[in-house]
Amino acid sequence: MADIEDWKALVDKEVKGRDLTWHTPEGFDIKPLYTSDDATQERGLPGFAPFTRGVKASMYAGRPWTIRQYAGFSTAEESNAFYRRNLAAGQKGLSVAFDLATHRGYDSDHPRVVGDVGKAGVAIDTVRDMEILFDQIPLDQMSVSMTMNGAVIPVLAFFIVAAERQGVSQDKLDGTIQNDILKEFMVRNTYIYPPEPSMRIVSDIIAYTSRNMPKFNSISISGYHMHEAGATAVQELAFTIADGKEYAQRAMAAGLDIDAFAGRLSFFFGIGMNFFMEIAKLRAARTLWYRVMDGLGAKQERSKMLRTHCQTSGVSLQEQDPYNNVIRTTVEAMAATLGGTQSLHTNALDEAIALPTDFSARIARNTQLVLQEESGICNVVDPLGGSYYIEALTAKLVEEAEKLMAEVDAVGGMTAYVGTGKPKAAIEEAAAHKQASVDKGETVIVGVNKYRLAKEEHLETLEVDNHAVREAQIARIRAVKDARDEAACQAALKALTEAAAASPNAQSEALRTGRDERGIPLPPSVLAEMERQADVNLLARAVEAARHDATLGEISAAMEAAFGRYDTVPRPVKGVYSSAYAEDARYQQVTRGVEAVENRLGRKPRILIAKMGQDGHDRGANVIASAFADMGFDVIAGPLFQTPKETAALALQKQVDVVGASSLAAGHKTLIPELINLLRDAGRPDIKVTAGGVIPPQDYDFLREKGVQGIYGPGSNVVECAADILRLLGHNMPPAGEEVSEAAE
């Protein structure tokens, strides 16, 4: 009988000594063969600790995963009609996408959100919007997931009050609110308040829902956005589980019993194209969470189970040869289900460039129906259990994630670790490495850097009339304000500000002991008044404001009056592209071109990487800033959330040659032309404006007519983008693959 040495000898003969080891972005050396000697991961059985093989004994053989569709666009009326069509076609739960104005706590009439209203999700300004959103959708029967973090207090308050007006009490509401603010400070950036008050919001929601909404998941701890920002599987695991640990500890510090809330915590992971790594990632996550919760003293087994929703990757979708995206989503959906997810959203094929159409959403939804009904995946509990490779990957992921989590613990937990900037920088560095690998062709993307079509077919995409949506929302805000009891509304908002300014922990301690912070006994009259005012829970106060028809912007501003608003400036990583391209001829050609422009100008060519509007997704902007700095450009990384006026002012102040506007949320047709007009009005039409990101090809002509001089969509090679910028600056940059003499340069 052949042994492992015989196998090695045969492989060596077949591949003539070539090393078949695969080096992953996580730094793992993946062997071409795994045996029982490699399968060291603790297995257990499904439904039993440590839940590696699944949180239910029967898993999908007993009940398949919940099919969700993350959707929301334009107005509440449009989104409601879309939801009802999807539910009729087999969807089982709702996942609501809100527009960026809502995420950032602004009403639709705010001047900072002119280009954002209704574009990347549904606009919600009032309880009335929420009522329309769920019209004819019974909230006592439907599980509703809401992706909301920054404006989580008003959105959840609106949901509760809309249900009340539908006749549904809070205890009957089923679903999930994301409420995961820590990852916003790392990757997604749709925060409003500084970290500490943001963490209080998380704790208050956990406390309120534990008391009033026993069927509702108070938090969905998200690794998805880290995945999309470029995190490795180890980073996504470690930081997500560490976030969950921090939330649990904060809730316990606020006086909650761990077993009273832990069973309603849920998770959310992104699923990419590394098929077996993604399966192992979900298994490792369950093991890690069990160990964390057991270590925190949880007694109930449900408290130690990691239940998760998954979404296929958006960043893996490509503009080029877009029907390949159906295949990518199918592979990712299979990984999520073989990994044991509890619910799943599959992205539509056109989401690399626009919001999904009914046509593309149907394909995405049917992908899950086919897997459930035709593939046989649901017939066997944990069909990949016993795979040597899967078990070895799972063990390695657990080991490496625990090392990184120990680093988090060493500085005092995830809030403190986020404050160091280390997790954000680590994820940005991983993203830059990934992009460099794609640009060099080391990581193959079919239809993008290999097997590319000679001519691309353009997809029909969904277009939202931003101006019309905003006008309709403004009219509804006015109508709601005209009909409300203004005095009662303002009193409720004032009470919310007072609650935000209060110190709930100190007050609850005084009520418990009957003494003040110095240990001095408090008079009965003082204690009675404290008891009357004791509930300073922010969600409780916001629900009362929502009952009096306060708007989302007003509720957010009421808390901002006590907490302040948080801002940050991107700090791109350095050295990734220069090291990855050290021997690359085209890269050297571009760097010489930058030097030539520098010699002509008497300074380095200067580019402002601008993020206008309320979209905080900055992976693309950070990658461009990092790469261009390595290539020799003088890069100014602009602050997030700028208006066109602020971007123009910064461009003029810094005397830039080029503004590279990053757009991922469909505001490009409003924001970028305004920027160009402002630069022209300031007498600087010579400043080149380029656009990059999620921009449908059918919008290219519109942007060019408005004065955009370079457009770089998904799949663009970063080095070639730099070459094109040099051409805009008047340098004789040859096309890729052509040599040019140094004298000509």
Side-chain angles (χ1 to χ4, degrees):
M1 182 177 181
D3 61 15
I4 192 68
E5 294 304 320
D6 294 327
W7 174 83
K8 288 179 179 177
L10 185 56
V11 167
D12 191 55
K13 180 180 178 181
E14 290 174 351
V15 300
K16 297 179 176 56
R18 181 161 48 93
D19 184 11
L20 298 182
T21 303
W22 173 40
H23 307 287
T24 76
E26 292 74 21
F28 297 177
D29 293 334
I30 302 298
K31 303 183 298 182
L33 178 69
Y34 284 77
T35 69
S36 58
D37 292 338
D38 300 297
T40 58
Q41 172 66 20
E42 180 182 5
R43 299 174 187 173
L45 289 168
F48 293 90
F51 307 108
T52 307
R53 301 189 63 187
V55 295
K56 295 285 188 181
S58 59
M59 285 303 290
Y60 306 147
R63 177 187 174 186
W65 67 90
T66 300
I67 298 173
R68 293 190 182 275
Q69 201 74 14
Y70 179 56
F73 57 91
S74 185
T75 62
E77 291 91 342
E78 291 275 356
S79 295
N80 172 261
F82 185 78
Y83 292 161
R84 287 194 281 120
R85 289 195 299 272
N86 286 0
L87 292 170
Q91 184 178 314
K92 301 301 183 184
L94 294 177
S95 291
V96 182
F98 299 94
D99 74 356
L100 289 163
T102 303
H103 273 287
R104 293 271 292 150
Y106 293 118
D107 287 336
S108 296
D109 58 0
H110 197 284
R112 298 196 72 86
V113 300
V114 172
D116 295 306
V117 177
K119 293 297 283 187
V122 62
I124 297 293
D125 296 308
T126 63
V127 173
R128 182 61 190 143
D129 288 329
M130 195 72 83
E131 289 181 89
I132 295 168
L133 187 67
F134 295 114
D135 181 43
Q136 300 181 58
I137 299 173
L139 293 177
D140 56 346
Q141 301 173 34
M142 181 58 59
S143 172
V144 177
S145 173
M146 292 179 286
T147 300
M148 179 52 62
N149 302 281
V152 62
I153 287 284
V155 164
L156 188 50
F158 287 178
F159 178 67
I160 290 167
V161 175
E164 289 176 352
R165 293 179 181 178
Q166 202 182 84
V168 178
S169 58
Q170 296 181 30
D171 62 308
K172 293 183 174 62
L173 293 175
D174 185 8
T176 304
I177 189 81
Q178 192 162 96
N179 191 29
D180 173 13
I181 201 63
L182 284 174
K183 65 96 175 40
E184 299 294 335
F185 293 108
M186 282 187 273
V187 289
R188 190 163 173 258
N189 300 313
T190 53
Y191 42 68
I192 300 175
Y193 314 109
E196 278 301 330
S198 296
M199 289 298 289
R200 179 185 162 190
I201 287 172
V202 172
S203 298
D204 277 12
I205 289 172
I206 292 173
Y208 184 95
T209 54
S210 296
R211 187 167 66 239
N212 301 296
M213 303 165 69
K215 297 171 63 179
F216 199 81
N217 298 313
S218 56
I219 189 167
S220 174
I221 304 149
S222 175
Y224 180 85
H225 303 93
M226 299 179 207
H227 178 277
E228 294 296 272
T232 66
V234 170
Q235 290 169 339
E236 183 183 357
L237 272 175
F239 295 152
T240 304
I241 300 298
D243 280 353
K245 181 179 180 180
E246 181 89 343
Y247 294 135
Q249 289 174 316
R250 290 296 184 110
M252 293 165 68
L256 292 175
D257 177 72
I258 189 169
D259 288 310
F261 67 82
R264 301 312 305 179
L265 303 182
S266 66
F267 286 79
F268 175 27
F269 286 101
I271 305 295
M273 285 297 289
N274 190 346
F275 185 72
F276 295 104
M277 187 73 77
E278 298 297 345
I279 295 168
K281 182 175 75 181
L282 296 185
R283 300 168 78 90
R286 290 191 289 270
T287 303
L288 288 164
W289 186 241
Y290 173 82
R291 293 180 182 179
V292 164
M293 296 306 284
D294 193 54
L296 291 178
K299 299 293 188 292
Q300 296 177 10
E301 291 296 274
R302 179 173 171 79
S303 299
K304 306 174 191 178
M305 295 177 182
L306 182 142
R307 297 167 303 109
T308 190
H309 171 70
C310 288
Q311 182 174 340
T312 59
S313 174
V315 77
S316 72
L317 304 179
Q318 303 298 326
E319 175 187 341
Q320 295 81 11
D321 204 358
Y323 288 102
N324 289 340
N325 293 334
V326 177
I327 305 162
R328 294 184 179 104
T329 294
T330 303
V331 170
E332 292 165 350
M334 288 179 64
T337 57
L338 291 170
T341 189
Q342 276 61 67
S343 65
L344 178 63
H345 162 60
T346 35
N347 286 327
L349 68 98
D350 48 1
E351 288 188 65
I353 52 175
L355 292 167
T357 62
D358 279 2
F359 169 75
S360 65
R362 177 173 170 268
I363 294 174
R365 184 175 57 253
N366 284 354
T367 300
Q368 294 196 55
L369 291 172
V370 169
L371 289 179
Q372 279 192 1
E373 303 291 347
E374 299 185 31
S375 72
I377 286 175
C378 294
N379 296 336
V380 177
V381 178
D382 188 26
L384 290 187
S387 161
Y388 303 143
Y389 179 34
I390 289 291
E391 291 186 3
L393 271 181
T394 302
K396 184 66 172 175
L397 284 169
V398 169
E399 176 188 358
E400 295 302 318
E402 285 188 327
K403 290 179 184 176
L404 190 48
M405 290 167 65
E407 184 179 316
V408 173
D409 288 338
V411 298
M414 204 62 196
T415 304
Y417 196 64
V418 166
T420 69
K422 288 183 178 180
K424 185 174 181 65
I427 291 171
E428 288 175 3
E429 184 172 350
H433 279 292
K434 285 184 180 180
Q435 186 62 46
S437 179
V438 171
D439 286 348
K440 292 181 70 179
E442 295 169 347
T443 297
V444 173
I445 309 294
V446 173
V448 176
N449 60 5
K450 196 173 184 179
Y451 312 112
R452 185 146 186 177
L453 293 175
K455 183 180 180 181
E456 298 284 349
E457 290 184 32
H458 286 177
L459 288 174
E460 291 296 322
T461 55
L462 182 66
E463 175 73 16
V464 173
D465 186 341
N466 165 242
H467 178 75
V469 173
R470 187 166 185 263
E471 289 300 310
Q473 288 300 119
I474 290 172
R476 185 173 294 149
I477 291 170
R478 288 174 182 158
V480 168
K481 286 183 175 181
D482 287 345
R484 73 190 184 187
D485 182 333
E486 190 63 26
C489 180
Q490 294 304 321
L493 289 168
K494 181 182 178 184
L496 176 58
T497 300
E498 291 170 350
S503 176
N505 290 341
Q507 193 172 52
S508 61
E509 182 68 14
L511 285 169
R512 187 180 67 81
T513 64
R515 298 174 181 271
D516 66 14
E517 293 175 351
R518 298 163 296 175
I520 298 173
L522 293 165
S525 60
V526 173
L527 284 170
E529 179 61 17
M530 288 179 69
E531 183 74 45
R532 188 182 69 80
Q533 297 180 359
D535 191 359
V536 291
N537 184 287
L538 295 171
L539 180 54
R541 295 284 177 98
V543 167
E544 192 60 29
R547 287 173 178 145
H548 292 290
D549 287 310
T551 70
L552 176 131
E554 290 173 327
I555 291 173
S556 298
M559 291 186 290
E560 185 180 339
F563 295 155
R565 185 172 275 265
Y566 185 78
D567 289 303
T568 187
V569 177
R571 291 180 176 84
V573 298
K574 297 178 180 178
V576 171
Y577 265 75
S578 57
S579 60
Y581 278 88
E583 307 300 325
D584 185 83
R586 180 59 167 174
Y587 183 85
Q588 293 171 0
Q589 208 175 51
V590 169
T591 57
R592 289 197 301 270
V594 175
E595 291 169 359
V597 173
E598 181 180 357
N599 291 334
R600 174 163 54 84
L601 296 177
R603 58 169 175 78
K604 292 183 175 183
R606 192 171 297 140
I607 182 169
L608 167 62
I609 307 299
K611 285 289 294 182
M612 295 181 289
Q614 297 303 305
D615 174 42
H617 293 86
D618 58 356
R619 171 181 178 158
N622 288 336
V623 165
I624 292 295
S626 299
F628 273 52
D630 280 2
M631 285 183 274
F633 285 83
D634 181 5
V635 175
I636 294 126
L640 299 176
F641 314 123
Q642 285 199 311
T643 63
K645 186 176 181 180
E646 290 166 341
T647 297
L650 184 59
L652 295 170
Q653 177 197 342
K654 298 294 185 180
Q655 292 295 294
V656 303
D657 305 298
V658 181
V659 177
S662 173
S663 175
L664 291 128
H668 52 273
K669 292 176 73 173
T670 301
L671 300 171
I672 297 176
E674 184 180 346
L675 169 65
I676 292 170
N677 290 335
L678 287 164
L679 292 173
R680 285 174 177 165
D681 292 345
R684 291 300 309 275
D686 57 303
I687 295 177
K688 318 295 184 187
V689 176
T690 65
V694 180
I695 301 173
Q698 53 265 46
D699 290 351
Y700 285 14
D701 287 343
F702 170 87
L703 290 175
R704 290 188 182 109
E705 288 170 6
K706 296 297 182 181
V708 174
Q709 299 194 38
I711 303 173
Y712 313 107
S716 296
N717 181 290
V718 175
V719 177
E720 292 307 321
C721 291
D724 195 54
I725 295 292
L726 290 174
R727 282 190 284 270
L728 291 178
L729 296 176
H731 181 66
N732 182 27
M733 194 69 206
E738 288 189 17
E739 294 296 326
V740 63
S741 69
E742 291 192 24
E745 289 182 354

